[in-house]
mmCIF file of all heavy atoms in Angstrom:
data_model
loop_
_atom_site.group_PDB
_atom_site.id
_atom_site.type_symbol
_atom_site.label_atom_id
_atom_site.label_comp_id
_atom_site.label_asym_id
_atom_site.label_seq_id
_atom_site.Cartn_x
_atom_site.Cartn_y
_atom_site.Cartn_z
ATOM 1 N N HIS U 1 -11.850 3.203 -30.064
ATOM 2 C CA HIS U 1 -12.747 4.189 -29.492
ATOM 3 C C HIS U 1 -14.100 3.517 -29.279
ATOM 4 O O HIS U 1 -14.798 3.232 -30.235
ATOM 5 C CB HIS U 1 -12.868 5.410 -30.399
ATOM 6 C CG HIS U 1 -13.594 6.571 -29.770
ATOM 7 N ND1 HIS U 1 -12.946 7.468 -28.976
ATOM 8 C CD2 HIS U 1 -14.886 6.954 -29.815
ATOM 9 C CE1 HIS U 1 -13.798 8.398 -28.557
ATOM 10 N NE2 HIS U 1 -15.009 8.103 -29.077
ATOM 11 N N GLY U 2 -14.437 3.278 -28.026
ATOM 12 C CA GLY U 2 -15.641 2.556 -27.720
ATOM 13 C C GLY U 2 -15.315 1.275 -26.975
ATOM 14 O O GLY U 2 -14.237 1.131 -26.408
ATOM 15 N N ALA U 3 -16.239 0.316 -27.009
ATOM 16 C CA ALA U 3 -16.042 -0.942 -26.304
ATOM 17 C C ALA U 3 -15.052 -1.839 -27.035
ATOM 18 O O ALA U 3 -15.117 -1.963 -28.275
ATOM 19 C CB ALA U 3 -17.368 -1.680 -26.129
ATOM 20 N N GLY U 4 -14.141 -2.452 -26.301
ATOM 21 C CA GLY U 4 -13.172 -3.312 -26.963
ATOM 22 C C GLY U 4 -12.374 -4.153 -25.981
ATOM 23 O O GLY U 4 -12.494 -3.994 -24.746
ATOM 24 N N VAL U 5 -11.561 -5.040 -26.527
ATOM 25 C CA VAL U 5 -10.700 -5.926 -25.714
ATOM 26 C C VAL U 5 -9.269 -5.844 -26.285
ATOM 27 O O VAL U 5 -9.077 -6.061 -27.478
ATOM 28 C CB VAL U 5 -11.165 -7.385 -25.736
ATOM 29 C CG1 VAL U 5 -10.230 -8.252 -24.906
ATOM 30 C CG2 VAL U 5 -12.589 -7.495 -25.246
ATOM 31 N N PHE U 6 -8.308 -5.507 -25.432
ATOM 32 C CA PHE U 6 -6.897 -5.511 -25.794
ATOM 33 C C PHE U 6 -6.190 -6.653 -25.074
ATOM 34 O O PHE U 6 -6.379 -6.832 -23.882
ATOM 35 C CB PHE U 6 -6.235 -4.181 -25.440
ATOM 36 C CG PHE U 6 -4.722 -4.271 -25.416
ATOM 37 C CD1 PHE U 6 -4.020 -4.197 -26.600
ATOM 38 C CD2 PHE U 6 -4.042 -4.448 -24.252
ATOM 39 C CE1 PHE U 6 -2.665 -4.311 -26.610
ATOM 40 C CE2 PHE U 6 -2.653 -4.556 -24.227
ATOM 41 C CZ PHE U 6 -1.967 -4.486 -25.422
ATOM 42 N N THR U 7 -5.414 -7.446 -25.816
ATOM 43 C CA THR U 7 -4.674 -8.540 -25.241
ATOM 44 C C THR U 7 -3.180 -8.322 -25.467
ATOM 45 O O THR U 7 -2.740 -8.068 -26.587
ATOM 46 C CB THR U 7 -5.064 -9.885 -25.877
ATOM 47 O OG1 THR U 7 -6.495 -10.051 -25.813
ATOM 48 C CG2 THR U 7 -4.415 -11.048 -25.128
ATOM 49 N N SER U 8 -2.397 -8.389 -24.390
ATOM 50 C CA SER U 8 -0.965 -8.135 -24.498
ATOM 51 C C SER U 8 -0.225 -9.410 -24.868
ATOM 52 O O SER U 8 -0.784 -10.499 -24.942
ATOM 53 C CB SER U 8 -0.425 -7.605 -23.153
ATOM 54 O OG SER U 8 -0.397 -8.644 -22.192
ATOM 55 N N SER U 9 1.089 -9.274 -25.063
ATOM 56 C CA SER U 9 1.920 -10.382 -25.516
ATOM 57 C C SER U 9 2.054 -11.479 -24.461
ATOM 58 O O SER U 9 2.426 -12.622 -24.764
ATOM 59 C CB SER U 9 3.297 -9.901 -25.944
ATOM 60 O OG SER U 9 3.913 -9.207 -24.887
ATOM 61 N N ASN U 10 1.813 -11.146 -23.168
ATOM 62 C CA ASN U 10 1.907 -12.151 -22.144
ATOM 63 C C ASN U 10 0.535 -12.649 -21.663
ATOM 64 O O ASN U 10 0.381 -13.134 -20.559
ATOM 65 C CB ASN U 10 2.707 -11.635 -20.948
ATOM 66 C CG ASN U 10 2.072 -10.432 -20.279
ATOM 67 O OD1 ASN U 10 1.052 -9.949 -20.772
ATOM 68 N ND2 ASN U 10 2.654 -9.957 -19.216
ATOM 69 N N SER U 11 -0.481 -12.454 -22.550
ATOM 70 C CA SER U 11 -1.854 -12.931 -22.335
ATOM 71 C C SER U 11 -2.615 -12.163 -21.276
ATOM 72 O O SER U 11 -3.678 -12.606 -20.865
ATOM 73 C CB SER U 11 -1.843 -14.430 -22.000
ATOM 74 O OG SER U 11 -1.382 -15.180 -23.087
ATOM 75 N N GLU U 12 -2.133 -11.045 -20.810
ATOM 76 C CA GLU U 12 -2.946 -10.179 -19.980
ATOM 77 C C GLU U 12 -3.917 -9.428 -20.885
ATOM 78 O O GLU U 12 -3.596 -9.141 -22.033
ATOM 79 C CB GLU U 12 -2.084 -9.208 -19.197
ATOM 80 C CG GLU U 12 -1.231 -9.863 -18.128
ATOM 81 C CD GLU U 12 -0.391 -8.855 -17.365
ATOM 82 O OE1 GLU U 12 0.382 -8.154 -18.002
ATOM 83 O OE2 GLU U 12 -0.522 -8.781 -16.154
ATOM 84 N N TYR U 13 -5.077 -9.114 -20.354
ATOM 85 C CA TYR U 13 -6.044 -8.460 -21.224
ATOM 86 C C TYR U 13 -6.764 -7.317 -20.496
ATOM 87 O O TYR U 13 -6.856 -7.279 -19.283
ATOM 88 C CB TYR U 13 -7.067 -9.465 -21.749
ATOM 89 C CG TYR U 13 -8.089 -9.939 -20.727
ATOM 90 C CD1 TYR U 13 -9.352 -9.366 -20.691
ATOM 91 C CD2 TYR U 13 -7.790 -10.940 -19.805
ATOM 92 C CE1 TYR U 13 -10.299 -9.772 -19.773
ATOM 93 C CE2 TYR U 13 -8.712 -11.351 -18.883
ATOM 94 C CZ TYR U 13 -9.967 -10.776 -18.849
ATOM 95 O OH TYR U 13 -10.884 -11.194 -17.934
ATOM 96 N N VAL U 14 -7.225 -6.377 -21.305
ATOM 97 C CA VAL U 14 -8.000 -5.263 -20.826
ATOM 98 C C VAL U 14 -9.308 -5.238 -21.595
ATOM 99 O O VAL U 14 -9.303 -5.232 -22.827
ATOM 100 C CB VAL U 14 -7.268 -3.926 -21.039
ATOM 101 C CG1 VAL U 14 -8.136 -2.752 -20.563
ATOM 102 C CG2 VAL U 14 -5.932 -3.910 -20.351
ATOM 103 N N GLU U 15 -10.407 -5.268 -20.924
ATOM 104 C CA GLU U 15 -11.725 -5.225 -21.562
ATOM 105 C C GLU U 15 -12.512 -4.078 -20.987
ATOM 106 O O GLU U 15 -12.623 -3.902 -19.769
ATOM 107 C CB GLU U 15 -12.470 -6.536 -21.339
ATOM 108 C CG GLU U 15 -13.827 -6.559 -22.005
ATOM 109 C CD GLU U 15 -14.519 -7.913 -21.866
ATOM 110 O OE1 GLU U 15 -13.973 -8.776 -21.203
ATOM 111 O OE2 GLU U 15 -15.596 -8.075 -22.485
ATOM 112 N N GLY U 16 -13.032 -3.224 -21.847
ATOM 113 C CA GLY U 16 -13.794 -2.092 -21.388
ATOM 114 C C GLY U 16 -13.908 -1.024 -22.456
ATOM 115 O O GLY U 16 -13.925 -1.321 -23.647
ATOM 116 N N ASP U 17 -13.959 0.212 -22.025
ATOM 117 C CA ASP U 17 -14.133 1.332 -22.952
ATOM 118 C C ASP U 17 -12.793 1.983 -23.253
ATOM 119 O O ASP U 17 -11.935 2.124 -22.372
ATOM 120 C CB ASP U 17 -15.081 2.357 -22.356
ATOM 121 C CG ASP U 17 -16.513 1.870 -22.320
ATOM 122 O OD1 ASP U 17 -16.875 1.045 -23.195
ATOM 123 O OD2 ASP U 17 -17.267 2.305 -21.444
ATOM 124 N N PHE U 18 -12.642 2.392 -24.541
ATOM 125 C CA PHE U 18 -11.451 3.104 -24.977
ATOM 126 C C PHE U 18 -11.884 4.450 -25.523
ATOM 127 O O PHE U 18 -12.964 4.614 -26.077
ATOM 128 C CB PHE U 18 -10.718 2.322 -26.061
ATOM 129 C CG PHE U 18 -10.039 1.079 -25.574
ATOM 130 C CD1 PHE U 18 -10.772 -0.063 -25.268
ATOM 131 C CD2 PHE U 18 -8.663 1.044 -25.403
ATOM 132 C CE1 PHE U 18 -10.161 -1.196 -24.796
ATOM 133 C CE2 PHE U 18 -8.046 -0.116 -24.932
ATOM 134 C CZ PHE U 18 -8.789 -1.236 -24.630
ATOM 135 N N HIS U 19 -10.996 5.446 -25.353
ATOM 136 C CA HIS U 19 -11.259 6.774 -25.865
ATOM 137 C C HIS U 19 -10.014 7.290 -26.581
ATOM 138 O O HIS U 19 -8.974 7.466 -25.967
ATOM 139 C CB HIS U 19 -11.638 7.744 -24.753
ATOM 140 C CG HIS U 19 -11.956 9.146 -25.235
ATOM 141 N ND1 HIS U 19 -13.171 9.468 -25.781
ATOM 142 C CD2 HIS U 19 -11.175 10.264 -25.264
ATOM 143 C CE1 HIS U 19 -13.141 10.746 -26.107
ATOM 144 N NE2 HIS U 19 -11.962 11.232 -25.825
ATOM 145 N N ARG U 20 -10.114 7.467 -27.908
ATOM 146 C CA ARG U 20 -8.992 7.976 -28.703
ATOM 147 C C ARG U 20 -7.715 7.151 -28.474
ATOM 148 O O ARG U 20 -6.623 7.676 -28.338
ATOM 149 C CB ARG U 20 -8.718 9.435 -28.417
ATOM 150 C CG ARG U 20 -9.889 10.375 -28.741
ATOM 151 C CD ARG U 20 -10.263 10.289 -30.180
ATOM 152 N NE ARG U 20 -11.355 11.192 -30.528
ATOM 153 C CZ ARG U 20 -12.032 11.159 -31.658
ATOM 154 N NH1 ARG U 20 -11.753 10.201 -32.543
ATOM 155 N NH2 ARG U 20 -12.981 11.991 -31.912
ATOM 156 N N GLY U 21 -7.868 5.800 -28.394
ATOM 157 C CA GLY U 21 -6.715 4.930 -28.297
ATOM 158 C C GLY U 21 -6.276 4.653 -26.870
ATOM 159 O O GLY U 21 -5.351 3.866 -26.681
ATOM 160 N N ARG U 22 -6.923 5.221 -25.883
ATOM 161 C CA ARG U 22 -6.529 5.003 -24.491
ATOM 162 C C ARG U 22 -7.656 4.335 -23.715
ATOM 163 O O ARG U 22 -8.829 4.650 -23.900
ATOM 164 C CB ARG U 22 -6.144 6.327 -23.831
ATOM 165 C CG ARG U 22 -4.938 6.993 -24.480
ATOM 166 C CD ARG U 22 -4.559 8.262 -23.750
ATOM 167 N NE ARG U 22 -4.106 7.973 -22.407
ATOM 168 C CZ ARG U 22 -2.865 7.604 -22.105
ATOM 169 N NH1 ARG U 22 -1.954 7.493 -23.048
ATOM 170 N NH2 ARG U 22 -2.519 7.371 -20.850
ATOM 171 N N TYR U 23 -7.252 3.454 -22.802
ATOM 172 C CA TYR U 23 -8.224 2.770 -21.959
ATOM 173 C C TYR U 23 -8.824 3.759 -20.968
ATOM 174 O O TYR U 23 -8.143 4.567 -20.374
ATOM 175 C CB TYR U 23 -7.517 1.645 -21.208
ATOM 176 C CG TYR U 23 -8.366 0.916 -20.180
ATOM 177 C CD1 TYR U 23 -9.470 0.166 -20.571
ATOM 178 C CD2 TYR U 23 -8.058 1.004 -18.820
ATOM 179 C CE1 TYR U 23 -10.233 -0.473 -19.621
ATOM 180 C CE2 TYR U 23 -8.827 0.358 -17.869
ATOM 181 C CZ TYR U 23 -9.919 -0.369 -18.306
ATOM 182 O OH TYR U 23 -10.686 -1.039 -17.332
ATOM 183 N N VAL U 24 -10.154 3.669 -20.802
ATOM 184 C CA VAL U 24 -10.852 4.558 -19.866
ATOM 185 C C VAL U 24 -11.056 3.840 -18.555
ATOM 186 O O VAL U 24 -11.738 2.798 -18.517
ATOM 187 C CB VAL U 24 -12.227 4.996 -20.455
ATOM 188 C CG1 VAL U 24 -12.975 5.866 -19.452
ATOM 189 C CG2 VAL U 24 -12.026 5.741 -21.766
ATOM 190 N N ASP U 25 -10.450 4.374 -17.494
ATOM 191 C CA ASP U 25 -10.607 3.762 -16.170
ATOM 192 C C ASP U 25 -11.995 4.143 -15.625
ATOM 193 O O ASP U 25 -12.252 5.315 -15.369
ATOM 194 C CB ASP U 25 -9.501 4.310 -15.250
ATOM 195 C CG ASP U 25 -9.450 3.607 -13.896
ATOM 196 O OD1 ASP U 25 -10.491 2.989 -13.547
ATOM 197 O OD2 ASP U 25 -8.410 3.659 -13.241
ATOM 198 N N PRO U 26 -12.866 3.144 -15.414
ATOM 199 C CA PRO U 26 -14.201 3.521 -14.986
ATOM 200 C C PRO U 26 -14.262 4.079 -13.586
ATOM 201 O O PRO U 26 -15.246 4.740 -13.206
ATOM 202 C CB PRO U 26 -14.957 2.159 -15.067
ATOM 203 C CG PRO U 26 -13.894 1.139 -14.962
ATOM 204 C CD PRO U 26 -12.703 1.728 -15.632
ATOM 205 N N ASP U 27 -13.220 3.834 -12.758
ATOM 206 C CA ASP U 27 -13.193 4.324 -11.386
ATOM 207 C C ASP U 27 -12.508 5.672 -11.239
ATOM 208 O O ASP U 27 -12.478 6.239 -10.152
ATOM 209 C CB ASP U 27 -12.510 3.311 -10.463
ATOM 210 C CG ASP U 27 -13.315 2.030 -10.349
ATOM 211 O OD1 ASP U 27 -14.539 2.078 -10.600
ATOM 212 O OD2 ASP U 27 -12.750 1.012 -9.984
#
């Protein structure tokens, strides 16, 4: 919850804001 970076098992990553465990799409 808040700013963070998630990295998947195939090295893809998501960096941004999370809310209650879910990535927040800024668009």
Side-chain angles (χ1 to χ4, degrees):
H1 191 83
V5 179
F6 162 80
T7 308
S8 73
S9 57
N10 62 356
S11 294
E12 291 180 303
Y13 74 98
V14 179
E15 181 175 4
D17 290 331
F18 290 75
H19 181 80
R20 300 300 182 194
R22 297 182 65 83
Y23 174 66
V24 177
D25 188 339
D27 293 339

